[in-house]
Amino acid sequence: MDPYTLGGMIFSLIMVLIVGGFIVSFPIMRRLGALMEESIRERRAGRLEHTQLAQLQGQIDALTRTLESTERQLELLGERQDFTESLVDSVSRRALPRKDGEEPGAG
């Protein structure tokens, strides 16, 4: 066989294989790329959901601390109010005149 003829046949065969391989593999690669992109989106969405959950948990923790602090302050305020009321009651009892005619505060 003539080497130029053999070279031309090999070149033609290689070109047919390259073009045919591209025609066959392009839709497969395109679909594979779409699947990979979808997988990446799902991972990012999962990370975002995890991040959002972490942020919400942080906000819930902050609200819980705020409520506990407010509860402590209300308890202290209630104790102070009770003390003030008892003090006012005791002072007002001393200021009232007694039935036996004694001066207020002489007891």
Side-chain angles (χ1 to χ4, degrees):
M1 249 188 149
D2 185 26
Y4 292 111
T5 308
L6 186 61
M9 287 177 14
I10 291 175
F11 178 76
S12 298
L13 182 63
I14 290 174
M15 289 303 293
V16 167
L17 289 175
I18 289 174
V19 171
F22 181 76
I23 291 172
V24 170
S25 66
F26 181 73
I28 295 170
M29 292 299 157
R30 191 171 174 185
R31 180 66 183 147
L32 182 62
L35 288 174
M36 290 173 67
E37 286 178 2
E38 184 65 30
S39 173
I40 291 170
R41 275 192 220 113
E42 287 177 4
R43 287 183 191 162
R44 285 183 182 165
R47 286 185 199 149
L48 288 177
E49 289 175 6
H50 180 70
T51 304
Q52 290 171 346
L53 288 176
Q55 289 175 348
L56 288 175
Q57 187 62 41
Q59 290 174 350
I60 289 171
D61 291 342
L63 285 173
T64 303
R65 286 190 302 271
T66 303
L67 286 174
E68 288 172 354
S69 172
T70 304
E71 182 181 9
R72 277 187 250 125
Q73 290 175 357
L74 283 174
E75 287 175 3
L76 288 173
L77 186 62
E79 290 175 6
R80 290 176 183 167
Q81 186 174 2
D82 290 342
F83 174 76
T84 304
E85 287 175 357
S86 66
L87 187 64
V88 168
D89 285 344
S90 68
V91 169
S92 67
R93 282 190 212 136
R94 288 183 186 171
L96 292 176
R98 296 185 180 183
K99 292 182 182 178
D100 57 1
E102 291 182 17
E103 294 278 328

